[in-house]
Amino acid sequence: MYIISGANIQLIVISFCVYLFVNLFENLIHYNIGRFSDKETKLEIPTQKDWIKIAIVMCVFALLQGLLTYWFNKRLKPMKI
């Protein structure tokens, strides 16, 4: 069975999208904590340059999340006879 099949791609894509959605808000909070760590914390939208950096890092880890989800799901399923 190849990793590139319908059900496998669906699992990877869903995991990828969920990771991006959930971590977008977390990264926005972390961005503001890091930016204003020595001042009163406020919510500021990152610059376009910072958004690009955040998006690249998120996509790399989202893909890793999807592939690991697939791999662990495959490993933990009972063997079919």
Side-chain angles (χ1 to χ4, degrees):
M1 175 189 244
Y2 295 103
I3 191 170
I4 307 298
S5 71
N8 296 337
I9 290 294
Q10 186 178 16
L11 178 64
I12 292 169
V13 169
I14 289 171
S15 180
F16 181 92
C17 292
V18 168
Y19 180 91
L20 286 180
F21 179 76
V22 170
N23 282 304
L24 177 65
F25 298 106
E26 180 185 359
N27 289 335
L28 184 58
I29 293 168
H30 284 151
Y31 172 84
N32 282 288
I33 289 171
R35 186 152 168 89
F36 302 108
S37 63
D38 58 341
K39 305 172 190 169
E40 182 180 330
T41 303
K42 57 183 175 180
L43 190 60
E44 184 179 288
I45 302 299
T47 64
Q48 184 177 4
K49 186 178 179 180
D50 287 334
W51 270 125
I52 292 170
K53 291 176 187 176
I54 290 169
I56 290 170
V57 171
M58 283 179 58
C59 285
V60 168
F61 281 95
L63 181 60
L64 184 59
Q65 167 75 23
L67 292 172
L68 287 173
T69 300
Y70 160 76
W71 187 76
F72 280 113
N73 188 46
K74 183 179 174 183
R75 292 284 182 187
L76 295 177
K77 282 186 179 178
M79 294 187 68
K80 297 179 183 177
I81 298 176

